[in-house]
């Protein structure tokens, strides 16, 4: 074979390999990676057809009725239910790490009052990394310290911004209160009723983890570069903020208030369907039946309203869920976790724009569990693409370009 023939043969091989790779990419490409496994994980499991959700194999219903949020966070992060001693130690550590650096409080004082609390949380979570910049990802003590700090300090930062954006001093955490009671106390300086604290704790359990959703995927991609856990959580917070993801719970309340009455539910829904507008709090990439978390949340809402009084938005929500099932059930569109959660938070007197930060407070447990799992068997995420652009395009000197840019 001559040199020319050899180089032609090599060029043909490269071209064939490129075409094969492009062809493989075309076969596997799914918008939004729908149905494409992005990782292996043993943290949680969903069966979207049957409406099943398990954390480390335990059905969510059992955890919602019998466990606490910190106990559930321990299960997710360390992979097993804690013994009584392990749980007491974990709760003690978190209780005594709730305070935030004054420099982070001072930074928050510069945030605009009109800024969204999710943006404030993302900035503050990233800022935590400035104080704990050592990246000892192979040191179990470093891992545990980061888990404790993030679980302990995220609620304090959410509550602090709520106070400071109005010019008030933040309400200091109280070491004699449990996790959910303390958070609600930091929002209002009032100790909540035990039922209010328990319902809130159940909400945190239900929002703690949900396999490889968008924000958890962000967390794993960020973790795979071996950056610090504060950057991992900040990346996930930014992803959760979107209205198609965690931001939906705030939008649901806006929608229920806009509907205004049970009589207006169907005209409102028909208008959404005509406009092909998404109804917030409904639909799910995985669940093709009602989200099991929505069912549990609905029960929690009823408990709260029996004690604290009814809310007209609940009647509107129940009527809307019925109407959506009639109209869109055939497309497998049912209520998801965001549909009823806002009704709980509103009854607890929590401002609407804190609903998604509360989702983040809970989901920190899941993000940290995935961070640890990613580190245990890491390979940096680097998917491929299907290139749809030009090749060998000419560079045209500035003076030779027409004034009209190409459409
Ligand atoms: C969360 O992934 C997770 O696990 C997320 C989460 C978690 O715990 O981490 O469960 C939390 O994010 C819950 C979802 C909260 N978001 C919302 O409530 C916003 C409204 N929902 C939709 O935007 C939507 O349902 C998604 C984003 C949740 C899922 O979107 P998909 O899977 O990409 O579905 P799609 O947009 O491709 O829609 C498929 C069809 C379309 O109709 P056609 O064009 O085929 O005729 O269903 C329709 C959509 O128009 N559809 C809806 C709808 N959701 C889907 N139509 C009206 N209202 C809706 N809410």
């Amino acid at each position: 074979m001559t040199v020319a023939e050899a180089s032609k043969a090599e060029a043909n091989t490269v071209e064939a390999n490129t075409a094969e790779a492009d062809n493989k990419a075309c076969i596997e490409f799914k918008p939004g990676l729908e149905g494409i496994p992005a990782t292996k994980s043993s943290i949680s499991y969903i069966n979207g057809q049957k409406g099943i959700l398990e954390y480390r194999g335990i059905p969510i219903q059992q955890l919602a009725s019998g466990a606490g949020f910190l106990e559930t966070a321990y299960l997710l992060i360390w992979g097993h239910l804690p013994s009584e001693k392990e749980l007491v130690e974990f709760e003690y550590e978190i209780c005594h790490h709730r305070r935030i650096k004054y420099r982070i409080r001072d930074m928050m004082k510069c945030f605009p009052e009109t800024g969204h609390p999710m943006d404030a949380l993302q900035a503050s979570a990233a800022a935590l990394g400035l104080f704990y910049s050592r990246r000892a990802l192979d040191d179990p003590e470093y891992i545990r310290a980061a888990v404790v700090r993030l679980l302990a300090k995220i609620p304090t930062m959410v509550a602090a911004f709520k106070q400071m954006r109005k010019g008030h001093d933040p309400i200091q955490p109280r070491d004699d209160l449990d996790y959910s009671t303390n958070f609600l106390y930091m929002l209002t300086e009032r100790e909540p009723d035990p039922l209010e604290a328990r319902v809130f704790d159940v909400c945190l359990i239900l929002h703690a983890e949900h396999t490889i959703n968008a924000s958890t995927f962000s967390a794993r991609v960020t973790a795979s570069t071996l950056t610090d856990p504060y950057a991992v959580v900040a990346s996930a917070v930014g992803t959760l903020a979107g209205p198609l993801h965690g931001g939906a719970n705030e939008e649901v309340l806006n929608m229920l208030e806009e509907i205004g009455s049970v009589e207006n539910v169907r005209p409102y829904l028909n208008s959404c369907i005509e406009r092909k507008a998404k109804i917030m709090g409904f639909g799910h990439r995985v669940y093709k039946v009602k989200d099991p978390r929505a069912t549990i949340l609905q029960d929690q809402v009823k408990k709260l309203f029996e004690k604290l009084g009814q809310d007209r938005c609940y009647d509107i929500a129940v009527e809307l869920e019925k109407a959506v099932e009639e109209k869109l059930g055939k497309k497998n569109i049912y209520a998801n976790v965001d549909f009823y959660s806002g009704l709980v938070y509103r009854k607890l007197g929590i401002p609407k724009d804190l609903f998604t930060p509360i989702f983040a407070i809970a989901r920190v447990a899941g993000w940290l569990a995935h961070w640890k799992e990613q580190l245990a068997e890491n390979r940096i995420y680097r998917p491929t693409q299907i290139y749809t652009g030009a090749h060998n395009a000419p560079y045209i000197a500035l003076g030779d370009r027409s004034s009209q840019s190409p459409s």
Side-chain angles (χ1 to χ4, degrees), residues 31-32 34 46 53 55 206-216 240 242-249 251-252 269 272-273 276-288 291 293 324 328 331-339 359 363 367:
E34 180 164 5
I46 299 174
L53 170 59
Y55 291 174
L206 295 172
H207 286 82
E209 159 64 11
H210 211 240
T211 73
I212 195 77
N213 58 84
S215 54
T216 300
L240 185 70
L244 292 189
H245 190 13
N249 55 16
E251 296 302 327
V252 167
L269 176 58
C272 287
I273 293 173
K276 283 195 172 298
K278 293 279 176 60
I279 298 109
M280 292 291 115
F282 287 91
H284 200 277
R285 178 63 61 79
V286 180
Y287 289 123
K288 299 311 167 195
D291 187 328
R293 300 169 296 176
V324 170
L328 300 173
K331 291 174 81 170
N332 297 323
I333 294 164
Y334 295 93
N336 61 47
V337 69
D338 286 309
F339 188 58
F359 194 149
R363 192 51 61 90
W367 295 332

Coordinates of all heavy atoms in Angstrom, one line a residue, residues 31-32 34 46 53 55 206-216 240 242-249 251-252 269 272-273 276-288 291 293 324 328 331-339 359 363 367, ligand 1:
P31 N -34.6 14.7 24.2 CA -34.6 16.0 24.8 C -34.9 15.9 26.3 O -35.7 15.1 26.8 CB -35.9 16.6 24.1 CG -36.0 15.9 22.8 CD -35.5 14.5 23.1
G32 N -34.1 16.7 27.0 CA -34.2 16.6 28.5 C -33.8 15.3 29.1 O -34.1 15.0 30.2
E34 N -34.9 12.5 28.7 CA -36.0 11.8 29.2 C -35.8 10.3 29.1 O -35.4 9.8 28.0 CB -37.3 12.1 28.4 CG -38.5 11.4 28.8 CD -39.8 12.0 28.3 OE1 -39.7 13.0 27.5 OE2 -40.9 11.5 28.7
I46 N -38.4 5.5 42.5 CA -39.8 5.9 42.1 C -40.3 4.9 41.1 O -39.6 4.4 40.2 CB -39.7 7.2 41.4 CG1 -39.2 8.4 42.2 CG2 -41.1 7.6 40.9 CD1 -39.0 9.7 41.5
L53 N -42.8 5.8 46.0 CA -41.6 6.5 46.3 C -41.0 5.9 47.5 O -41.7 5.7 48.5 CB -41.8 8.0 46.5 CG -40.7 8.8 47.1 CD1 -39.5 8.8 46.1 CD2 -41.1 10.2 47.3
Y55 N -37.4 5.8 50.1 CA -36.1 6.4 50.5 C -35.3 5.2 51.1 O -35.7 4.6 52.1 CB -36.2 7.4 51.6 CG -36.8 8.7 51.2 CD1 -37.1 9.7 52.2 CD2 -37.2 9.1 49.9 CE1 -37.6 10.9 51.8 CE2 -37.7 10.3 49.5 CZ -38.0 11.2 50.5 OH -38.5 12.4 50.2
L206 N -41.1 14.9 52.9 CA -41.7 14.6 51.6 C -40.9 15.3 50.5 O -40.9 14.8 49.3 CB -43.2 15.0 51.5 CG -44.1 14.3 52.4 CD1 -45.5 15.0 52.4 CD2 -44.2 12.8 52.0
H207 N -40.2 16.4 50.8 CA -39.5 17.1 49.8 C -38.0 16.8 49.8 O -37.2 17.3 49.0 CB -39.6 18.6 50.0 CG -40.9 19.1 49.6 ND1 -42.1 19.1 50.4 CD2 -41.4 19.8 48.5 CE1 -43.1 19.6 49.8 NE2 -42.7 20.0 48.6
A208 N -37.5 15.8 50.7 CA -36.1 15.6 50.9 C -35.4 15.0 49.7 O -34.2 15.3 49.5 CB -35.9 14.7 52.1
E209 N -36.0 14.2 48.9 CA -35.2 13.4 47.9 C -36.2 12.9 46.9 O -37.3 12.6 47.1 CB -34.5 12.3 48.6 CG -34.1 11.1 47.8 CD -33.1 11.4 46.7 OE1 -32.5 12.5 46.8 OE2 -32.9 10.6 45.8
H210 N -35.7 12.9 45.6 CA -36.6 12.4 44.5 C -35.8 11.9 43.3 O -36.0 12.3 42.2 CB -37.6 13.4 44.1 CG -38.9 12.9 43.7 ND1 -39.4 13.1 42.4 CD2 -39.8 12.0 44.3 CE1 -40.6 12.4 42.3 NE2 -40.8 11.8 43.4
T211 N -34.9 11.0 43.5 CA -34.0 10.4 42.5 C -33.3 11.5 41.7 O -33.0 12.6 42.2 CB -34.7 9.4 41.6 OG1 -35.6 10.1 40.6 CG2 -35.5 8.4 42.3
I212 N -33.2 11.4 40.3 CA -32.3 12.2 39.6 C -33.1 13.4 38.9 O -33.2 13.5 37.7 CB -31.5 11.4 38.6 CG1 -30.3 12.2 38.1 CG2 -32.3 10.7 37.6 CD1 -29.2 12.4 39.1
N213 N -33.8 14.2 39.7 CA -34.5 15.3 39.2 C -33.5 16.4 38.8 O -32.3 16.2 39.0 CB -35.5 15.9 40.3 CG -34.7 16.2 41.6 OD1 -34.1 17.3 41.7 ND2 -34.5 15.2 42.5
A214 N -34.0 17.5 38.2 CA -33.1 18.5 37.6 C -32.1 19.0 38.6 O -30.9 19.1 38.3 CB -33.9 19.6 37.0
S215 N -32.5 19.4 39.8 CA -31.6 20.0 40.7 C -30.6 19.0 41.3 O -29.4 19.3 41.5 CB -32.3 20.7 41.9 OG -33.2 19.8 42.5
T216 N -31.0 17.8 41.5 CA -30.1 16.7 41.9 C -29.1 16.4 40.8 O -28.0 16.1 41.1 CB -30.9 15.5 42.4 OG1 -31.8 15.9 43.5 CG2 -30.1 14.4 42.9
L240 N -33.2 24.5 41.2 CA -34.5 24.2 41.9 C -35.4 25.4 41.7 O -36.6 25.3 41.7 CB -34.3 23.9 43.4 CG -35.6 23.5 44.1 CD1 -36.1 22.2 43.7 CD2 -35.3 23.6 45.6
G242 N -36.3 27.3 39.4 CA -37.2 27.5 38.2 C -38.6 27.1 38.4 O -38.9 26.1 39.1
P243 N -39.6 27.8 37.7 CA -41.0 27.4 37.9 C -41.4 26.1 37.4 O -42.4 25.5 37.8 CB -41.7 28.5 37.1 CG -40.7 29.1 36.2 CD -39.4 28.9 36.8
L244 N -40.6 25.5 36.5 CA -41.0 24.1 36.1 C -40.5 23.1 37.1 O -40.8 21.9 37.0 CB -40.3 23.8 34.7 CG -40.8 24.6 33.5 CD1 -40.2 24.0 32.2 CD2 -42.3 24.6 33.4
H245 N -39.8 23.5 38.1 CA -39.2 22.6 39.1 C -39.7 23.0 40.5 O -40.9 23.1 40.7 CB -37.7 22.5 39.0 CG -37.0 21.5 39.8 ND1 -37.6 20.4 40.4 CD2 -35.6 21.3 40.0 CE1 -36.7 19.7 41.0 NE2 -35.5 20.2 40.8
G246 N -38.8 23.4 41.4 CA -39.3 23.7 42.7 C -40.0 25.0 42.8 O -40.8 25.3 43.8
G247 N -39.9 25.9 41.8 CA -40.6 27.2 41.9 C -42.1 27.1 41.7 O -42.8 28.0 41.8
A248 N -42.6 25.9 41.4 CA -44.0 25.7 41.1 C -44.9 25.9 42.3 O -46.0 26.4 42.2 CB -44.3 24.3 40.5
N249 N -44.4 25.6 43.5 CA -45.3 25.7 44.7 C -45.7 27.2 44.9 O -46.9 27.4 45.3 CB -44.6 25.1 45.9 CG -43.3 25.7 46.3 OD1 -42.9 26.7 45.8 ND2 -42.5 25.0 47.1
E251 N -46.0 29.4 42.5 CA -46.9 29.7 41.4 C -48.3 29.1 41.6 O -49.3 29.7 41.2 CB -46.3 29.1 40.1 CG -45.0 29.8 39.6 CD -45.1 31.3 39.5 OE1 -46.2 31.8 39.1 OE2 -44.1 32.0 39.8
V252 N -48.4 28.0 42.3 CA -49.7 27.3 42.5 C -50.5 28.3 43.4 O -51.7 28.5 43.1 CB -49.5 26.0 43.2 CG1 -50.8 25.5 43.8 CG2 -48.9 24.9 42.3
L269 N -59.5 26.8 33.9 CA -58.8 25.7 33.4 C -59.0 25.6 31.8 O -58.0 25.4 31.1 CB -59.4 24.4 34.0 CG -58.8 23.1 33.5 CD1 -57.3 23.0 33.6 CD2 -59.4 21.9 34.2
C272 N -56.7 28.0 30.2 CA -55.3 27.5 30.2 C -55.1 26.5 29.1 O -54.1 26.5 28.3 CB -55.0 26.8 31.5 SG -54.7 27.9 32.9
I273 N -56.1 25.6 29.0 CA -55.9 24.5 27.9 C -56.0 25.1 26.5 O -55.2 24.8 25.7 CB -57.1 23.5 28.1 CG1 -56.8 22.7 29.5 CG2 -57.1 22.5 27.0 CD1 -58.0 21.8 29.9
K276 N -52.8 26.5 25.8 CA -51.7 25.5 25.9 C -50.7 25.9 27.1 O -49.5 25.7 27.0 CB -50.9 25.3 24.6 CG -51.6 24.4 23.6 CD -50.7 24.0 22.5 CE -51.3 23.0 21.6 NZ -51.7 21.7 22.2
A277 N -51.3 26.6 28.1 CA -50.5 27.0 29.3 C -50.4 25.8 30.3 O -51.4 25.1 30.4 CB -51.2 28.2 30.0
K278 N -49.2 25.7 30.9 CA -49.0 24.6 31.9 C -49.8 25.0 33.2 O -49.7 26.2 33.6 CB -47.5 24.5 32.2 CG -46.7 23.9 31.0 CD -46.9 22.4 30.8 CE -46.2 21.9 29.6 NZ -44.7 22.1 29.5
I279 N -50.5 24.1 33.8 CA -51.1 24.4 35.0 C -50.2 24.0 36.1 O -49.7 22.8 36.3 CB -52.5 23.5 35.2 CG1 -53.5 24.0 34.1 CG2 -53.1 23.8 36.5 CD1 -53.7 22.9 33.1
M280 N -49.8 24.9 36.9 CA -48.7 24.7 38.0 C -49.2 23.7 39.0 O -50.4 23.7 39.4 CB -48.4 26.1 38.6 CG -47.7 27.0 37.7 SD -46.0 26.5 37.3 CE -46.2 26.2 35.5
G281 N -48.3 22.9 39.4 CA -48.6 21.9 40.4 C -49.1 20.6 39.8 O -49.5 19.7 40.6
F282 N -49.2 20.5 38.5 CA -49.7 19.3 37.8 C -48.7 18.8 36.8 O -47.9 19.5 36.3 CB -51.0 19.6 37.1 CG -52.2 19.8 38.0 CD1 -52.5 21.0 38.5 CD2 -52.9 18.7 38.5 CE1 -53.6 21.2 39.4 CE2 -54.0 18.9 39.3 CZ -54.3 20.1 39.8
G283 N -48.7 17.5 36.6 CA -47.8 16.9 35.6 C -46.5 16.5 36.2 O -46.1 17.1 37.3
H284 N -45.9 15.5 35.6 CA -44.6 15.1 36.2 C -43.9 14.2 35.1 O -44.6 13.5 34.4 CB -44.7 14.2 37.4 CG -43.5 14.2 38.3 ND1 -42.5 13.3 38.0 CD2 -43.1 14.9 39.3 CE1 -41.5 13.4 38.9 NE2 -41.8 14.4 39.7
R285 N -42.6 14.4 35.0 CA -41.8 13.6 34.0 C -41.9 12.1 34.3 O -41.9 11.3 33.4 CB -40.4 14.0 34.0 CG -39.4 13.3 33.1 CD -39.8 13.4 31.7 NE -39.7 14.8 31.2 CZ -38.6 15.4 30.9 NH1 -37.4 14.9 31.1 NH2 -38.6 16.7 30.4
V286 N -42.0 11.7 35.6 CA -42.0 10.3 36.0 C -43.4 9.8 36.4 O -43.8 8.7 35.9 CB -41.0 10.0 37.1 CG1 -40.9 8.6 37.5 CG2 -39.6 10.6 36.7
Y287 N -44.0 10.5 37.3 CA -45.3 10.0 37.7 C -46.4 10.1 36.6 O -46.6 11.2 36.1 CB -45.8 10.8 38.9 CG -45.0 10.5 40.2 CD1 -44.4 11.5 40.9 CD2 -44.9 9.2 40.7 CE1 -43.7 11.3 42.0 CE2 -44.2 9.0 41.9 CZ -43.5 10.0 42.5 OH -42.8 9.8 43.6
K288 N -47.1 9.0 36.4 CA -48.2 9.0 35.4 C -49.5 8.7 36.2 O -50.5 8.4 35.6 CB -48.0 7.9 34.3 CG -46.7 8.2 33.5 CD -46.6 9.6 33.0 CE -45.2 10.0 32.5 NZ -45.1 11.5 32.3
D291 N -49.0 12.0 42.3 CA -47.8 12.0 43.1 C -48.1 11.5 44.5 O -48.9 12.2 45.2 CB -47.2 13.4 43.1 CG -45.8 13.5 43.7 OD1 -45.5 12.7 44.6 OD2 -45.0 14.4 43.3
R293 N -46.7 11.9 47.1 CA -46.4 13.0 48.1 C -47.6 14.0 48.2 O -47.9 14.5 49.2 CB -45.1 13.7 47.7 CG -43.9 12.8 47.7 CD -42.7 13.5 47.1 NE -43.0 13.8 45.7 CZ -42.1 14.5 44.9 NH1 -41.0 14.9 45.4 NH2 -42.4 14.7 43.6
V324 N -59.0 19.0 36.5 CA -57.8 18.7 35.7 C -57.8 17.2 35.4 O -57.5 16.7 34.3 CB -56.5 19.1 36.5 CG1 -55.3 18.4 35.8 CG2 -56.3 20.6 36.6
L328 N -57.5 16.3 31.8 CA -56.1 15.9 31.4 C -55.7 14.6 31.9 O -54.5 14.2 31.7 CB -55.2 17.0 31.8 CG -55.4 18.4 31.3 CD1 -54.5 19.5 31.9 CD2 -55.2 18.5 29.8
K331 N -54.1 12.3 29.6 CA -52.7 12.5 29.3 C -51.7 12.3 30.5 O -50.6 12.7 30.5 CB -52.5 14.0 28.8 CG -53.2 14.3 27.5 CD -53.1 15.8 27.1 CE -51.8 16.2 26.6 NZ -51.9 17.6 26.0
N332 N -52.3 11.6 31.5 CA -51.5 11.2 32.7 C -51.0 12.4 33.4 O -49.9 12.4 33.9 CB -50.3 10.3 32.3 CG -50.8 9.0 31.7 OD1 -51.8 8.4 32.1 ND2 -50.1 8.5 30.7
I333 N -51.9 13.5 33.4 CA -51.4 14.7 34.1 C -52.2 14.8 35.4 O -53.5 14.9 35.4 CB -51.7 15.9 33.3 CG1 -50.7 15.9 32.1 CG2 -51.4 17.2 34.1 CD1 -51.1 16.8 31.0
Y334 N -51.5 14.6 36.5 CA -52.2 14.6 37.9 C -51.4 15.6 38.8 O -50.3 16.0 38.4 CB -52.1 13.2 38.4 CG -53.0 12.2 37.6 CD1 -52.4 11.4 36.6 CD2 -54.3 12.1 37.9 CE1 -53.2 10.5 35.9 CE2 -55.1 11.2 37.1 CZ -54.5 10.4 36.1 OH -55.3 9.6 35.4
A335 N -51.9 15.8 40.0 CA -51.3 16.7 41.0 C -49.9 16.1 41.3 O -49.7 14.9 41.5 CB -52.2 16.9 42.2
N336 N -49.0 17.1 41.5 CA -47.6 16.7 41.9 C -47.4 17.3 43.3 O -48.2 17.9 43.9 CB -46.5 17.1 40.9 CG -46.5 18.6 40.7 OD1 -46.5 19.4 41.6 ND2 -46.5 19.0 39.4
V337 N -46.1 17.1 43.8 CA -45.8 17.5 45.2 C -46.0 19.0 45.4 O -46.3 19.4 46.5 CB -44.3 17.2 45.5 CG1 -43.4 18.0 44.7 CG2 -44.0 17.2 47.0
D338 N -45.9 19.8 44.4 CA -46.0 21.2 44.6 C -47.5 21.7 44.7 O -47.7 22.9 45.0 CB -45.3 22.0 43.4 CG -43.8 21.8 43.5 OD1 -43.3 22.2 44.6 OD2 -43.2 21.4 42.5
F339 N -48.5 20.8 44.5 CA -49.8 21.4 44.4 C -50.4 21.7 45.7 O -51.0 22.8 45.9 CB -50.7 20.4 43.7 CG -52.1 20.9 43.4 CD1 -52.3 22.1 42.6 CD2 -53.3 20.3 43.9 CE1 -53.5 22.6 42.4 CE2 -54.5 20.9 43.7 CZ -54.7 22.0 42.9
F359 N -38.5 24.3 50.1 CA -38.2 23.1 49.3 C -36.7 22.8 49.3 O -36.3 21.7 49.5 CB -38.7 23.3 47.9 CG -38.8 22.1 47.0 CD1 -39.8 22.0 46.0 CD2 -38.0 21.0 47.1 CE1 -39.9 20.9 45.2 CE2 -38.0 19.9 46.3 CZ -39.0 19.8 45.3
R363 N -34.5 19.6 50.5 CA -33.8 18.9 49.4 C -32.3 18.8 49.6 O -31.6 18.0 49.0 CB -34.1 19.4 48.0 CG -33.7 18.7 46.8 CD -34.1 17.2 46.8 NE -35.5 16.9 46.9 CZ -36.3 16.8 45.8 NH1 -35.8 17.0 44.6 NH2 -37.6 16.5 45.9
W367 N -29.6 16.2 48.1 CA -28.4 16.7 47.3 C -27.1 16.2 48.0 O -26.2 15.7 47.3 CB -28.3 18.2 47.2 CG -29.5 18.8 46.4 CD1 -30.2 18.2 45.4 CD2 -30.1 20.1 46.6 NE1 -31.1 19.1 44.9 CE2 -31.1 20.2 45.7 CE3 -29.8 21.2 47.5 CZ2 -31.9 21.4 45.6 CZ3 -30.6 22.3 47.4 CH2 -31.6 22.4 46.4
Ligands
LIG1 C1 -41.0 19.0 40.7 O1 -38.3 15.6 38.5 C2 -38.8 15.6 39.7 O2 -38.8 14.6 40.4 C3 -39.2 17.0 40.2 C4 -39.9 17.0 41.6 C5 -38.9 16.7 42.7 O3 -39.3 16.2 43.7 O4 -37.7 17.0 42.5 O5 -40.9 16.1 41.6 C6 -40.4 18.4 41.9 O6 -40.4 19.7 40.0 C7 -42.5 18.8 40.4 C8 -43.0 19.5 39.1 C9 -43.3 20.9 39.5 N1 -43.6 21.7 38.2 C10 -44.8 22.0 37.9 O7 -45.8 21.8 38.6 C11 -44.9 22.9 36.6 C12 -46.0 22.3 35.7 N2 -45.6 21.0 35.2 C13 -45.1 20.9 33.9 O8 -44.3 22.0 33.5 C14 -44.6 19.6 33.5 O9 -45.5 18.7 33.9 C15 -43.2 19.1 34.1 C16 -42.2 20.1 33.8 C17 -43.3 18.8 35.5 C18 -42.9 17.8 33.3 O10 -42.8 18.1 32.0 P1 -42.4 17.0 30.9 O11 -42.3 15.7 31.4 O12 -41.3 17.6 30.1 O13 -43.8 17.0 30.0 P2 -44.0 17.9 28.8 O14 -43.8 19.3 29.1 O15 -43.3 17.3 27.6 O16 -45.6 17.7 28.5 C19 -46.1 16.5 27.9 C20 -47.5 16.8 27.6 C21 -47.6 18.1 26.8 O17 -48.8 18.1 26.0 P3 -48.7 17.9 24.4 O18 -47.8 19.0 23.9 O19 -48.0 16.5 24.2 O20 -50.1 17.9 23.9 O21 -48.3 17.1 28.8 C22 -48.7 18.4 28.8 C23 -47.8 19.2 27.8 O22 -48.5 20.3 27.4 N3 -48.5 18.9 30.2 C24 -49.2 19.8 30.8 C25 -48.7 20.0 32.1 N4 -47.6 19.2 32.2 C26 -47.5 18.6 31.0 N5 -50.3 20.5 30.4 C27 -50.9 21.3 31.3 N6 -50.4 21.5 32.5 C28 -49.3 20.9 32.9 N7 -48.9 21.1 34.2

